[in-house]
């Protein structure tokens, strides 16, 4: 049973419940054995996402983490170096999977999740060097979760991928929130994905689906991804049940992402000026609000506990960093309320 929460849950955009209409679409989905390529709903979702991202082929996978792990498996070898933005999801939040599964190491560059082609160039370690681990992959996260949901500057993404190509380095777009990046920037998904060899999008974040991500790239890479997915245990059978939620979301939940962004602004503007916190409003571009508690103010876990007692769920990202995320299951009114609650808690201390 879905909880009927007394809480306004802003912990993540992954907490959404599939709507009644989405559940109906899932229940009525045409399905088949996807490992025989016979699931019409999965096939249609893959075709639609490939077209949206402007890539020849796409593959449904169970999670964003698996999409990232398949990308690393395909584009880097054990002992290689992978360059990412600071606090990249694949470096911080995948339980060490890149090291465990693919034997790679990360070099984080830039600040706040974004980086420049110059910063990439300065960090590239050449192949064939006697001591350096060869850089073979660069990954961009758009939007960047820990950077406050910022949109990665597209001109820089284009320059980064061109630099990578010149150096024989592959490029990957972790687009778990690429739909948010498109809504906020006005650029199409295809424009955002164009410079990259391989890209992923999540269905289970802002789009409100219960399960799933999709990888998109060349036919050759996606053929290899089919094998890697099987190796990782992510090849499914009648997964059209899940793909149907994605198809439903593409038709019904894309246009409303701008509402989530406006709701995040409401929360951010409700607290931004308060003493005791540092919140850069210029980072509030999509559905994520991240702020720092000042050294002399209560720490993040204290703020999270007080907010919970007042009916608002948010996340502590560390000792001083707090995150609130808007999504389709919280209204503008609830976000206004949550902003008020947070302002109260922060300014009372
Ligand atoms: C959530 C997220 C993922 C992982 O998605 P899961 O479906 O939770 O495995 C990957 N990258 C980014 C940027 C994310 O925010």
């Amino acid at each position: 049973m879905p909880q009927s929460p007394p809480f306004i849950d802003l912990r993540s955009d992954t907490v959404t419940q599939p709507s009644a209409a989405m559940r109906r679409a899932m229940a009525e989905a045409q399905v088949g054995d996807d490992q025989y390529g016979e699931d019409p709903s999965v096939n249609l979702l893959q075709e639609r996402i490939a077209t949206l991202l402007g890539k020849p082929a796409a593959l449904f996978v169970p999670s964003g983490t698996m999409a990232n792990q398949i990308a690393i498996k395909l584009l880097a070898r054990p002992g290689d170096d992978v360059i990412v933005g600071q606090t990249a999801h694949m470096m911080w939040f995948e339980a060490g999977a890149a090291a465990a599964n693919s034997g790679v190491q990360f070099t984080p560059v830039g600040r706040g999740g974004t980086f420049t082609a110059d910063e990439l160039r300065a960090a590239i370690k050449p192949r064939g060097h006697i001591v350096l681990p060869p850089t073979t992959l660069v990954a961009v996260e758009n939007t960047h979760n820990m950077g406050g949901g910022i949109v990665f500057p597209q001109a820089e993404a284009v320059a980064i991928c061109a630099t990578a190509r010149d150096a024989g380095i592959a490029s990957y777009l972790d687009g778990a929130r690429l739909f948010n990046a498109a809504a906020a920037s006005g650029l199409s998904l295809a424009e955002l994905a164009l410079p990259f060899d391989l890209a992923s999008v999540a269905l289970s974040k802002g789009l409100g689906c219960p399960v799933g991500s999709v990888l998109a790239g060349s036919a050759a890479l996606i053929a290899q991804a089919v094998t890697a997915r099987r190796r990782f245990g992510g090849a499914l059978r009648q997964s059209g049940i899940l793909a149907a939620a994605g198809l439903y979301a593409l038709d019904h939940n894309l246009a409303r992402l701008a509402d989530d962004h406006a709701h995040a602004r409401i929360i951010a503007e409700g607290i931004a000026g308060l003493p005791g916190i540092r919140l850069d409003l210029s980072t509030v571009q999509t559905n994520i609000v991240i702020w720092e508690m000042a050294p002399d103010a209560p720490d993040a876990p204290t703020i999270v506990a007080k907010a919970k007692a007042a009916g608002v769920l948010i996340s502590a990202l560390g000792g001083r960093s707090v995150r609130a995320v808007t999504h389709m299951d919280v209204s503008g009114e609830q976000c206004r309320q949550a902003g008020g609650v947070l302002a109260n808690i922060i300014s009372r201390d």
Side-chain angles (χ1 to χ4, degrees), residues 134-152:
T135 304
T136 53
L137 173 62
V138 60
V140 160
E141 189 177 308
N142 195 10
T143 65
H144 196 86
N145 179 357
M146 299 296 284
I150 47 167
V151 178
F152 202 99

Side-chain angles (χ1 to χ4, degrees), residues 105-278:
Q105 69 166 39
F106 288 111
T107 298
V109 297
R111 255 183 66 80
T114 65
F115 55 96
T116 64
D118 282 342
E119 285 166 329
L120 168 64
R121 216 172 282 119
I124 290 174
K125 299 148 203 80
R127 287 184 174 82
H129 192 279
I130 192 163
V131 295
L132 298 173
T135 304
T136 53
L137 173 62
V138 60
V140 160
E141 189 177 308
N142 195 10
T143 65
H144 196 86
N145 179 357
M146 299 296 284
I150 47 167
V151 178
F152 202 99
Q154 188 60 16
E156 213 54 64
V158 169
I160 284 165
C161 292
T163 300
R165 204 164 306 113
D166 287 348
I169 293 170
S171 57
Y172 171 62
L173 174 60
D174 176 357
R177 293 191 180 83
L178 198 67
F179 295 108
N180 298 87
S185 66
L187 297 173
S188 70
L189 292 159
E191 284 172 286
L192 293 168
L194 179 65
F196 295 90
D197 296 324
L198 194 59
S200 67
V201 292
L203 305 169
S204 57
K205 300 256 163 96
L207 291 198
C209 299
V211 177
S213 278
V214 181
L215 268 170
S218 69
L221 272 178
I222 294 302
Q224 292 175 47
V226 171
T227 304
R229 180 182 68 174
R230 176 75 182 173
R231 285 197 179 128
F232 279 131
L236 305 173
R237 300 295 180 176
Q238 285 72 27
S239 36
I241 295 264
L242 306 173
L247 291 167
Y248 178 89
L250 291 180
D251 290 335
H252 297 95
N253 296 348
L254 277 187
R256 56 157 309 286
L257 286 174
D259 297 344
D260 294 344
H261 301 176
H263 296 165
R265 267 327 271 198
I266 292 172
I267 295 171
E269 284 166 6
I271 60 174
L274 297 173
I277 77 163
R278 205 178 65 227

